[in-house]
Amino acid sequence: MEESQALKSLSALSDATRLRMLRFLVTAGEDGAPAGSIGEHAGAAPSRASFHLAALAQAGLVVPERVSRQIIYRVDFDALGGLMGYLIEDCCGGHPTVRACCGPAKRTGA
Amino acid sequence: MEESQALKSLSALSDATRLRMLRFLVTAGEDGAPAGSIGEHAGAAPSRASFHLAALAQAGLVVPERVSRQIIYRVDFDALGGLMGYLIEDCCGGHPTVRACCGPAKRTGA
DNA sequence: TCAATATTTCTTGAATTGTTGAGATATGCA
DNA sequence: TGCATATCTCAACAATTCAAGAAATATTGA
């Protein structure tokens, strides 16, 4: 992951509505959820929900798919995992100390 | 972790200078690094470095400690891990599917 | 084709945030 | 005490971003 991509993702998540949306979609897993439902859970009017979902999609954190008259959004778990990996890359210079500093989310390959 | 805390952390990381600073401090591990050195690595003038480090500290992502005339900053790895845990809490509703959607950074207790 | 549902686009105004540069504070040493 | 180093604080300006509501687009079924 590149810095610019990480910044896009982090900026996208720096908003209460979008953070709630992403967390809701995380719990929804592979099934995803339609825009209307997501907006409801996040407490956003349809217009706002559309705007924020577009921002999440633009950041690459979610992927839209039209199904009939609904648009289903799903978390891109690779992107989310990649973002986390980016944050803790080369943790402790590769030689972790006593504390479990690299513990919570270490994934070298990301 | 609460939403407001997560938002503070994510907002703090939504800036190129601060993101570089945090990543630099992650590689520095427990030793941390002095403000001047951090600013240099992030390409920020002392004034800017101070401002951004204060923002990171305010968000709870780093912790300052004065050592002689320098101020050493260290990543709060618990806070960073907690943030990641918050993002993927209740991943896939607790029943992960085929894909390793909950893989990269799962830590239930956070 | 017409009506209803689901979602997106557009416009305006308000609020937040980043940058810069100078000046202030704290520490260490002669 | 007086100087140099390391870091922080402050004020004005520019740029980005969010919210709200009305209107437009796409899909479905009668």
Side-chain angles (χ1 to χ4, degrees), chain A residues 14 42 50 64 69 78 96 98 101:
Chain A
S14 303
S50 173
R69 75 177 73 178
D78 286 337
V98 242
C101 69

Side-chain angles (χ1 to χ4, degrees), chain B residues 1-92:
Chain B
M1 168 160 314
E2 292 175 13
E3 181 184 87
S4 66
Q5 181 56 46
L7 280 172
K8 280 183 195 169
S9 300
L10 290 165
S11 297
L13 292 176
S14 303
D15 175 89
T17 302
R18 291 196 291 267
L19 183 56
R20 287 195 205 111
M21 284 175 157
L22 186 95
R23 278 170 40 94
F24 174 62
L25 284 178
V26 163
T27 68
E30 295 296 318
D31 296 337
S37 167
I38 300 169
E40 245 181 279
H41 277 270
S47 164
R48 282 288 85 197
S50 173
F51 172 81
H52 287 301
L53 283 169
L56 286 172
Q58 177 67 29
L61 288 168
V62 303
V63 177
E65 180 198 359
R66 178 172 277 279
V67 174
S68 177
R69 76 177 72 178
Q70 295 183 317
I71 295 189
I72 305 297
Y73 285 87
R74 294 185 180 82
V75 173
D76 183 333
F77 286 100
D78 287 336
L80 189 55
L83 175 62
M84 296 189 183
Y86 182 80
L87 287 179
I88 57 169
E89 212 167 27
D90 296 322
C91 177
C92 302

Side-chain angles (χ1 to χ4, degrees), chain A residues 3 6-7 10-16 19-20 22-23 25-31 75-78 80-95 97-107, chain B residues 3 6-7 10-16 19-20 22-23 25-31 75-78 80-95 97-107:
Chain A
E3 181 183 87
L7 279 172
L10 290 166
S11 298
L13 292 176
S14 303
D15 175 87
L19 182 56
R20 288 194 205 110
L22 185 96
R23 278 168 41 92
L25 284 177
V26 163
T27 67
E30 296 295 318
D31 295 337
V75 173
D76 183 333
F77 286 100
D78 286 337
L80 189 55
L83 175 62
M84 296 188 183
Y86 182 80
L87 287 178
I88 58 169
E89 210 167 28
D90 296 321
C91 177
C92 303
H95 41 77
T97 59
V98 242
R99 295 180 73 266
C101 69
C102 305
K106 182 66 176 176
R107 191 171 76 161
Chain B
E3 181 184 87
L7 280 172
L10 290 165
S11 297
L13 292 176
S14 303
D15 175 89
L19 183 56
R20 287 195 205 111
L22 186 95
R23 278 170 40 94
L25 284 178
V26 163
T27 68
E30 295 296 318
D31 296 337
V75 173
D76 183 333
F77 286 100
D78 287 336
L80 189 55
L83 175 62
M84 296 189 183
Y86 182 80
L87 287 179
I88 57 169
E89 212 167 27
D90 296 322
C91 177
C92 302
H95 40 77
T97 59
V98 245
R99 297 182 70 266
C101 69
C102 306
K106 183 66 176 176
R107 191 171 76 160

